[in-house]
Amino acid sequence: MGRAAVASERSPLRDRFAAVRSLTLELTDRLSDADASVQSMADASPAKWHLAHTTWFFETFVLRDHVAGYALHDERFPFLFNSYYEAEGRRHARDRRGMVTRPTLDEVRAYRAHVDASVEAAWPTLPAAARELVALGCHHEEQHQELLVTDLLHLFSENPLEPALFPAERKVPVAMPGPIGWIERGEEIVEIGHAGDGPSTGLGTGFAFDCEGPRHRALLSPHGIADRTVTNGEWAAFIADGGYREPRWWLADGWAWVKAGAIGAPLYWEEQGGGWTRFGLDGRRPIDPAAPVTHVSFFEADAYAAWAGARLPTEFEWEAAASAFEAADGNQLDAAGAVEPRPAEGGAAFFGDVWEWTGSAYRPYPGFRPQEGAVGEYNGKFMSGQFVLRGGSCATPRGHVRASYRNFFYPHQRWQFTGVRLAKDL
Amino acid sequence: MGRAAVASERSPLRDRFAAVRSLTLELTDRLSDADASVQSMADASPAKWHLAHTTWFFETFVLRDHVAGYALHDERFPFLFNSYYEAEGRRHARDRRGMVTRPTLDEVRAYRAHVDASVEAAWPTLPAAARELVALGCHHEEQHQELLVTDLLHLFSENPLEPALFPAERKVPVAMPGPIGWIERGEEIVEIGHAGDGPSTGLGTGFAFDCEGPRHRALLSPHGIADRTVTNGEWAAFIADGGYREPRWWLADGWAWVKAGAIGAPLYWEEQGGGWTRFGLDGRRPIDPAAPVTHVSFFEADAYAAWAGARLPTEFEWEAAASAFEAADGNQLDAAGAVEPRPAEGGAAFFGDVWEWTGSAYRPYPGFRPQEGAVGEYNGKFMSGQFVLRGGSCATPRGHVRASYRNFFYPHQRWQFTGVRLAKDL
Amino acid sequence: MGRAAVASERSPLRDRFAAVRSLTLELTDRLSDADASVQSMADASPAKWHLAHTTWFFETFVLRDHVAGYALHDERFPFLFNSYYEAEGRRHARDRRGMVTRPTLDEVRAYRAHVDASVEAAWPTLPAAARELVALGCHHEEQHQELLVTDLLHLFSENPLEPALFPAERKVPVAMPGPIGWIERGEEIVEIGHAGDGPSTGLGTGFAFDCEGPRHRALLSPHGIADRTVTNGEWAAFIADGGYREPRWWLADGWAWVKAGAIGAPLYWEEQGGGWTRFGLDGRRPIDPAAPVTHVSFFEADAYAAWAGARLPTEFEWEAAASAFEAADGNQLDAAGAVEPRPAEGGAAFFGDVWEWTGSAYRPYPGFRPQEGAVGEYNGKFMSGQFVLRGGSCATPRGHVRASYRNFFYPHQRWQFTGVRLAKDL
Amino acid sequence: MGRAAVASERSPLRDRFAAVRSLTLELTDRLSDADASVQSMADASPAKWHLAHTTWFFETFVLRDHVAGYALHDERFPFLFNSYYEAEGRRHARDRRGMVTRPTLDEVRAYRAHVDASVEAAWPTLPAAARELVALGCHHEEQHQELLVTDLLHLFSENPLEPALFPAERKVPVAMPGPIGWIERGEEIVEIGHAGDGPSTGLGTGFAFDCEGPRHRALLSPHGIADRTVTNGEWAAFIADGGYREPRWWLADGWAWVKAGAIGAPLYWEEQGGGWTRFGLDGRRPIDPAAPVTHVSFFEADAYAAWAGARLPTEFEWEAAASAFEAADGNQLDAAGAVEPRPAEGGAAFFGDVWEWTGSAYRPYPGFRPQEGAVGEYNGKFMSGQFVLRGGSCATPRGHVRASYRNFFYPHQRWQFTGVRLAKDL
């Protein structure tokens, strides 16, 4: 039986499972054992942990719970590689994940191979509930792919040698984007959120995380939203104008953060020879003034907006505007290309490049209910103190993001590819 | 000319100024110099600082800015008694306010008297803009009256002797409230916020802080809101059911807070002889099961709601419901009575007793713009990381609160008189 | 019976008790209730606490333990005013002593009066053991008199107004001291330590704290010890030469302390108008270049010595040299004068002015045994991590210090009147 | 020319250099890249760092300074692998050493090979000063060999899987040691310290670190010193008697350390199934009651001595007693055996097994002068806050320790193989 024939027997979900699992390996194939094991800060996790934790998800919720007779690959791994699932028992302290030099990277890869083979072998007999969990596991792993990339970037930035993980791509010079245009809208009731009621087996647009629903009606006030994000060049002007030294642009918590951390530029920026450089997965290079600014915190985004006489969009304004565009077209993560925001090339690029801070606190939609059981601890736990980001970034796997997608981080965090789109009241 | 004649010449604002200034003094008349000088935590300020800071407001924005030839009472006071007004120059570090043993309490009282007399003397010639600032200063001082009372409660609770600041009132036994009733409402667009555009000279309902506006339309989802707040008796049942030991009721940040602080009951509660007691301004006493629970954090309020199968109301749901009631009827602060939530006496007491945590993050309304100038730093600076509370408490001065009033604190804070009203989706 | 007659019946110990108790009151008679209640840092205690703790000592170990039928003045005070006496039961946390605004300063003064009167009344019947404890309590109170003064200085320095507790004394200009002379000595076995075996009832030189003994023989190496302490003028030269910016003069821990605290001068020094000023109990004034430098840490003292090509003396070298001089002649604390190091006036002033850091860690002498019982927890507990200082200061009560006296502080501490005497190897 | 002929030309120092460099590699040959890269706490360094730092020493002080034309292996390494040598320029922050995943372990091994070959090639022309530095570098590397082993033990203990780095040795059961015998001595002047004046090229006993001198005379008081160290069995009795719960045995700082860290047993001990186990390089196993207790802090050692009615020896008492024994006989580190204290086998084993805390603070000897230049920053920098340990441990390379050897750690540290020998006054 030839390869095509086999493929024809495969469901899209089974292909997606294989593709997702494979991309994670590709993203990590240049890593040394140490690169994969070290934890550079409490917010980040070692690459090895991401590799194992995503595997633990499938082993636990698919194999252990739905495949009769499945024996754990290693009885000790659940304690090591569980994360926030309190219902699943004790966990290894989050900020000590970098202590686990054993199992090695190769042993974790073997763990992946074992679980992948077990899922493949069990596929024909997997019940629908298990397949739903496979789909959820794929989306879960895609989230970790992005974290894996940004955590590695942070780790490499902490090495005084500033090594490049990926080779630099040749950059095609791009013209500077023109001035911001505004997409305007009057008062209107819009439908917000994903139509499904929490996670489902659907692929692509059929799937959503629990926090994206329930779909509900929301009232927008008259406003305009920018047709592109803020650029590095514009950000350099903010710095040159004393933006980081002037308290009136800043929220009180943001100003305290600036003072305590002696913050004066986006993360990974450094002034060298009179110009700004940034550190990326291809090493340290001059900033591209035409590219979207990234690695800024909510505090910085909010201060920039105040300085620019604008504000951040609400997540509803963003979703209403983005729904007119196709998520698939953005500059996102795949195995081949560079992981870096690219200069905006005209049009309203709502997807990819940089996550866009909104002015909306991450809170539940009307009618939101956490799912029952361990998997249900998923997103609702984090609904205090964080802000919503929308649109995905250059590190978000292709196909992972959609208009209703809600990412969330604390207002001081900026090691993700986070950027700024402006809005204004009409 | 007799006293009645003089009074007849007085404007309501002038009377209000006198009344507010007088209440602050009455609230502090039992304090020793040390009681008034010590700072018990970074969140709290010494009573003396409240006395002086509220005075500094009038001296700076009314006398200095609007009364020709006014000389500062003491050139050194602005540095000591400014607070968050960055535009007004350097400030004494907030967490070192308790170091200022000089000026003494008596000297601060003299500062008050001097400024009060100066305002009175200048009254006939005060321009309208200055009168507006007097009105704003009265509302500002009322805010500090509440903080003054709660900061003193915290200070006294830190003294192992647990002294009573006020004598205990004789308590009239009250029947336990019946089960919660639900005020239900379908989808509806409502008007939210104060009609005015920021602070104004209006008295009573005519005034609002900048963050209460602009008035705008908001869409409510179908929901029910409880007709009373949660009681001490109900809270004791939550504790007895292991509410503080069960992570599934808690937000992740809340659970971390519980573990880090070994939290197991509302602030000021202590188990003694098999029953719960609470510390109050009248000392330590058994809890009253019929009275509203207070001194709970947002985290606790949210966990309780999850345990009860409900949720917290949004600030819009709360405002829509409360608008049907009269703010003036609540159990609020005045010079005479005890400062303590009282058993709910039937009816929907939306005002007084306890501030009610809402599920809404404290963020600007559509069209919100901070005011220009120093006074304009007022509220917008704090719009990250905090949650909105509504309704006022037993420590809120009478006349200070209204349906549109937005108070805000961080989700872990609980030294204010904070409580819980439940809501549910329909 | 006349006053003279009564006096004639009084023992020297009884007089000493009255004098010591009276001096403490005099030192605090200018304090406001708040001055006496606030704690400015964890290392310091409120003046009220010193007033009460020293009283608690007499009430507990003399009255409670030795006077039949004595009833505690207030049952709650032992918990508040015990300090490090673990054997005496639970204690109020050291860093929360500033929370105790009640009892007031006046109530603590009443506590003092009650205990003083009770001791006086019980005097004729006090057994010898109780009299020994009275003597110990006097020495204990003298230690607290010095802490009281230095803690107040620290508190006042934290007030941005920098108030003066005492009026400034008119300063008589004094000639700059000449270059340091060296008192030299060859290898020699000397007797070190106090002859007594721990505390005793002896007055004056008859008394010693437990850590000053047992007297034992020690071998000195050939060395020279300076005939005066380092002056402010010499210290300013050290600063001007970059002393605080050059790591090679500093111990590793000291350099870390300099960097972490951005230390660049002695505590309370501030550059104003191109010259150095210092804050003292008489307010802020220019430094006197001829006076001994003070408020320097061990780290600073050690770095200065390295810069000067010298070292600190050992405590044995110091004691051997100081034994030739009379302790009573120094510039020490009494009710009348200013509390400030004075320009050295010739001769080898080993006593008074400033405590002199030695290079000796605070460790037990051969044969040292802690005393049994609660009082015995006294000094041995602190024999790790601290360095010995010798000679007393301008804040040490007259009669309290002697050649064998061992004071001790951590190497970073400098809120005491601490200074530097150099030594060198021969 | 054959291999034998070459060897015959080799000096003892050249052999020593080869042997030391080789042992370091052998100690690390089981490590994964991650094992070698992770830093488990600020006090510890990654194995890779030890491998590189010891190599940097030879490259810098021998090759760079004394071999014409030598080019650095990598210009970026000095910044990464310098440690406390301030004079050598900026250094990578100590607590971020674990961020350096690149260079890899293999690249660091290549660095070692390059430097070793360069030293070998330059050997015939090395001036005497360079050979002295080779000798110093060997002793320096031996110090790091011990740290390397103890840092790895700490790292592996932080892994919840508690992996064993080395296979377990079969243990020969050993009889329990008898009661402690006392080596007594009256008052006596003894010679203390190494005769040399700082580091020298001498091999074996000819070498000493700067802090071991100058040799000088010291006076001992009459005392007894135990003829063996305290055992695990004796320590278990201390625990069972409540030793960790009784403040009177503890120094104040020690008691604070016990409370803050909830300390109740030596580091790496854990109660399992009613008995005590310890973690070692061969994994977790039951304690051997006959073996010396180890991984105890100075605070614990001091408390145990107080409980036992004894005290710790001074470093002079220890050195005087140990001088009668041969350092070469102890249980020390070599490539073959287990790294673990063994049951004392009779006789006075002053060397090997466990470092013995003395009661002496680490301070300079009379006449001590730091060496000039970068190498001279060596030991004098650390002479505050630490206590002296003597005798070497099972992780100290054979030939590295001697009677005059002064090791030093802070009183709370216990990740080294640290134990207790008692002493008493006569």
Side-chain angles (χ1 to χ4, degrees), chain B residues 118-144:
Chain B
S118 300
V119 170
E120 282 289 334
W123 198 271
T125 63
L126 280 186
R131 293 189 185 207
E132 266 196 49
L133 287 158
V134 169
L136 180 59
C138 288
H139 291 280
H140 171 254
E141 180 146 347
E142 286 174 339
Q143 292 182 307
H144 281 278

Side-chain angles (χ1 to χ4, degrees), chain A residues 13 62-63 66-67 118-131 134:
Chain A
L13 178 58
V62 177
L63 296 174
H66 293 285
V67 176
S118 300
V119 169
E120 282 290 334
W123 198 271
T125 63
L126 281 185
R131 294 189 185 207
V134 170

